[in-house]
Amino acid sequence: MASEEIPERPKADAPAEDGPAEPSKKAQKKAEKEAAKAALKARKQAERNEAEAKKIAEDAATDVSKENYGDLPMVGSEPHEASGHTRIPLLEVSQHVDKDAVVFRCVVETARSQSAKLAFLNLRQGLESIQAVVAASDTLSKQMVKFAASVPPQSMVLVHGLVKKPFEPINSATIKDFEIHIQKLYTVSRAEIPLPMQVEDAERALPGEGDVPGQEEEPKAEDGRPLVTLNTRLNNRVIDLRAKINHAIFRIKGGVVQLFQEYLSQQGFTLIHTPKLLGAATEGGSNVFEVKYFDKSGFLAQSPQLYKQMLVAARFERVMEVGPVFRAENSNTARHLTEFTGLDLEMAFEEDYHEVMDVLEGLMLFIFKGLRERYARETELVRNTYNVEEFKLPEAGKVPRIPFVEGIRLLREATGEELSEYEDLSTPMEKLLGKLVLEKYNTDFYVLDQFPLSVRPFYTMPSPHDPKLSNSYDFFMRGQEICSGAQRIHNADFLTQRMRAMDPPVDPESPGMRDYVAAFRYGCPPHGGGGFGLERIVSFWLGLPNIRLSSLFPRDPGRILP
């Protein structure tokens, strides 16, 4: 008889294969304790939230100023209802001392709490700033004081307040003899914080002329604070441009354009606007920007030169233009841009090209005088930041006109170097010559006349005194060129001859030249002119260390944004 197989019994303490192990009593107690602790914490937080909400509700119920402060709805998001308030500029606050409340919109530069019942704000509008006081009273709540102190810097606010005279002048504001006692304060546009850079850092001078885009390491000032580099400023240009010093620079820049047009209009010049998209590179193909123009190539204009001359031939005998100029030059220096604003003029003259120079000199002296009279405050603000000396001017009619060969002689005597009378000046030599002229003539503004023909464009008239020289000139400020000009060739046959003699030759029958040369075949008066770089005039007048500071959104070989 076969033996019966008895199955093996599982061990008593072995866990079931499919079911989870039961938690130990110790772990269970720990979980229960943590759950109770979390529940207690949640209950206490709910009680605090309830108490805080109750306090806020009670404060709101007793807040005598609850209608007089807060964030306004976004302008345009609700139907407009006229407030009936006349808003004043800060410059007019002196007319409202101890009178009815004034209303104005401004920017909060700083907001600080002195105590639960007192806060101070520094408010700015353009170049003006004023101190404002928010003080708790029977009619102004502590909640409003707290709100005022918490407004983020650079926020735009609407202010209602009384103009008062402080006990002593307020040195932290441009308006020192008055302050605003705020009655109502509303945020119009609240600034996000933190800012990518501080506006006050943009009020300080750049580290130096060598600070060009690409510098990443931020040097330290004498007080130990980092000096924000030009690269950082240009990367955050909207914040940077909020600085008062930048507002001053661009007011001056606009002033130069206004004075330029004002003077030339009085001299009978017509304002023109020439094309900036060209079908062919006109003054050389190596430093022009090529663009796609539908199914063909186009080019950005290097200057309005050829069109100015064509207009003179068209009987517009005095023309001026303010417009963009594009130069595809890979020059990463403190005084070069790939896009700048050109101030150009061209005019017919009667007997001699120095008649054109007379107009150019008169123009620049008019601009300098206008800047001194109309923009003295802005000029002082910028020059004081950079510790720049006053720009020395000659008397009218006494602008030094130095022949180029005489300039070379001065440099030879100063340096002992053998410099050629038929080669252009380097930038260091230009600056040195500026110092020599300042010592000899006591002026930062002068002209070099009769430049070597080999360094001037094909349309320049050769000199009758020396065939290697030309009837051309450059204008200088603080030893740096701001304008290049000349008498132009107005005879088509001679112009064609000069074009073919260039190295490399210029083809008078090419698409970019054919119409230009033809313009002089139908009778054209002798003429000349010049082109100024607006940013250079501004930079050298103010003594700025880098030309990019005089361009709102500068373009150079490494920068095409923002």
Side-chain angles (χ1 to χ4, degrees):
M1 179 176 173
S3 62
E4 184 178 359
E5 294 186 6
I6 303 173
E8 184 180 350
R9 292 189 178 190
K11 295 181 180 179
D13 57 351
E17 291 184 1
D18 297 329
E22 294 183 6
S24 68
K25 291 183 179 180
K26 186 176 180 180
Q28 188 173 356
K29 286 182 179 181
K30 182 179 179 181
E32 291 173 352
K33 187 175 180 180
E34 288 180 351
K37 186 178 178 181
L40 178 62
K41 184 178 180 180
R43 187 170 67 253
K44 287 184 177 181
Q45 183 62 48
E47 290 172 354
R48 285 195 296 268
N49 292 343
E50 184 180 354
E52 185 177 347
K54 184 178 180 181
K55 186 177 184 304
I56 291 174
E58 290 174 352
D59 288 345
T62 59
D63 187 354
V64 295
S65 303
K66 60 183 177 182
E67 302 297 329
N68 296 336
Y69 67 93
D71 296 335
L72 292 177
M74 184 172 60
V75 174
S77 65
E78 295 183 355
H80 171 65
E81 292 184 13
S83 66
H85 298 130
T86 300
R87 302 186 184 187
I88 69 161
L90 282 183
L91 277 172
E92 295 181 3
V93 295
S94 61
Q95 303 172 23
H96 301 271
V97 181
D98 294 326
K99 295 181 180 179
D100 293 337
V102 295
V103 181
F104 57 90
R105 190 174 66 194
C106 58
V107 172
V108 174
E109 288 194 311
T110 59
R112 59 187 175 90
S113 174
Q114 191 75 4
S115 69
K117 295 184 177 182
L118 183 63
F120 291 95
L121 285 73
N122 195 284
L123 306 176
R124 176 184 165 190
Q125 193 182 82
L127 294 181
E128 308 300 334
S129 61
I130 194 169
Q131 177 175 279
V133 180
V134 189
S137 66
D138 293 340
T139 57
L140 195 150
S141 66
K142 289 192 294 184
Q143 294 95 314
M144 181 171 172
V145 175
K146 183 179 180 181
F147 171 82
S150 68
V151 175
Q154 294 302 306
S155 296
M156 298 205 72
V157 294
L158 181 65
V159 174
H160 297 239
L162 299 173
V163 182
K164 300 285 186 179
K165 287 188 71 69
F167 293 114
E168 57 185 25
I170 301 165
N171 294 324
S172 61
T174 62
I175 299 174
K176 302 181 183 302
D177 298 323
F178 306 99
E179 64 182 9
I180 302 295
H181 287 225
I182 291 181
Q183 296 174 319
K184 299 179 182 180
L185 180 69
Y186 306 101
T187 59
V188 177
S189 179
R190 184 176 286 266
E192 294 183 9
I193 52 175
L195 297 173
M197 61 174 280
Q198 298 302 311
V199 175
E200 63 182 16
D201 289 331
E203 300 284 8
R204 312 173 81 183
L206 277 179
E209 184 174 345
D211 182 20
V212 296
Q215 179 179 345
E216 296 299 336
E217 184 179 352
E218 297 193 344
K220 303 285 186 181
E222 292 181 0
D223 60 7
R225 292 176 56 194
L227 288 171
V228 179
T229 62
L230 179 60
N231 200 46
T232 298
R233 294 187 184 191
L234 297 182
N235 288 340
N236 300 282
R237 190 58 162 158
V238 171
I239 300 296
D240 180 51
L241 286 171
R242 292 181 177 184
K244 293 186 185 73
I245 186 174
N246 284 325
H247 280 240
I249 289 170
F250 291 102
R251 286 189 186 187
I252 290 168
K253 188 175 182 180
V256 172
V257 174
Q258 180 183 353
L259 291 162
F260 174 83
Q261 294 181 319
E262 184 177 330
Y263 179 82
L264 293 180
S265 293
Q266 294 170 1
Q267 303 297 316
F269 282 74
T270 300
L271 181 65
I272 60 170
H273 300 91
T274 58
K276 303 306 170 213
L277 276 172
L278 309 181
T282 55
E283 296 184 52
S286 62
N287 57 349
V288 295
F289 288 109
E290 184 175 355
V291 298
K292 181 174 177 58
Y293 191 75
F294 298 104
D295 60 345
K296 62 190 74 172
S297 291
F299 301 88
L300 298 180
Q302 296 167 274
S303 86
Q305 182 56 48
L306 305 191
Y307 288 99
K308 289 190 303 178
Q309 291 184 251
M310 293 165 74
L311 285 165
V312 171
R315 304 298 183 255
F316 289 82
E317 294 201 352
R318 291 191 167 201
V319 294
M320 60 174 166
E321 179 169 12
V322 179
V325 176
F326 302 93
R327 299 281 171 86
E329 298 172 350
N330 193 16
S331 298
N332 294 281
T333 75
R335 68 172 196 166
H336 284 91
L337 295 169
T338 54
E339 178 185 352
F340 62 89
T341 304
L343 305 179
D344 278 89
L345 66 88
E346 202 77 16
M347 59 175 280
F349 61 80
E350 296 295 330
E351 299 179 7
D352 181 71
Y353 77 98
H354 287 100
E355 296 169 30
V356 182
M357 293 175 66
D358 290 339
V359 172
L360 289 168
E361 288 174 3
L363 166 65
M364 290 310 301
L365 292 177
F366 181 82
I367 289 174
F368 295 145
K369 181 181 178 183
L371 292 177
R372 277 184 169 178
E373 293 177 352
R374 305 181 196 180
Y375 299 92
R377 181 187 177 195
E378 289 85 351
T379 297
E380 182 182 10
L381 172 62
V382 180
R383 286 184 183 165
N384 285 346
T385 301
Y386 283 97
N387 298 314
V388 176
E389 294 182 1
E390 179 76 12
F391 190 88
K392 290 184 171 60
L393 286 173
E395 296 178 18
K398 295 185 179 180
V399 177
R401 289 184 183 177
I402 304 169
F404 186 85
V405 293
E406 172 65 14
I408 295 297
R409 187 187 66 78
L410 290 173
L411 288 169
R412 284 174 180 166
E413 292 176 355
T415 64
E417 297 183 24
E418 282 299 320
L419 302 173
S420 173
E421 297 174 350
Y422 302 112
E423 294 180 6
D424 208 355
L425 293 175
S426 65
T427 299
M429 284 299 173
E430 281 185 359
K431 292 182 177 180
L432 175 58
L433 183 58
K435 294 179 180 178
L436 298 175
V437 171
L438 179 60
E439 292 173 1
K440 183 173 182 178
Y441 298 99
N442 194 36
T443 177
D444 284 310
F445 174 59
Y446 59 94
V447 183
L448 281 184
D449 191 15
Q450 292 278 301
F451 267 72
L453 182 62
S454 62
V455 301
R456 307 305 269 203
F458 60 83
Y459 45 72
T460 306
M461 180 69 75
S463 172
H465 308 292
D466 183 339
K468 291 185 178 181
L469 299 179
S470 63
N471 291 352
S472 64
Y473 40 81
D474 280 0
F475 283 61
F476 292 83
M477 292 174 64
R478 299 189 194 269
Q480 301 193 69
E481 177 218 327
I482 58 162
C483 170
S484 183
Q487 177 185 350
R488 326 298 188 183
I489 296 173
H490 60 283
N491 177 278
D493 292 336
F494 186 41
L495 178 60
T496 299
Q497 177 185 330
R498 280 280 301 136
M499 293 170 77
R500 287 177 171 152
M502 296 295 291
D503 184 18
V506 179
D507 183 5
E509 295 299 323
S510 64
M513 293 296 167
R514 189 182 307 114
D515 294 328
Y516 166 71
V517 174
F520 304 112
R521 298 193 183 281
Y522 316 120
C524 180
H527 61 280
F532 295 89
L534 173 58
E535 287 79 7
R536 286 195 178 186
I537 294 175
V538 174
S539 294
F540 301 154
W541 170 256
L542 295 172
L544 298 176
N546 196 302
I547 197 169
R548 291 164 182 79
L549 295 174
S550 61
S551 176
L552 285 170
F553 298 96
R555 298 291 180 254
D556 58 41
R559 179 173 292 277
I560 198 170
L561 292 170

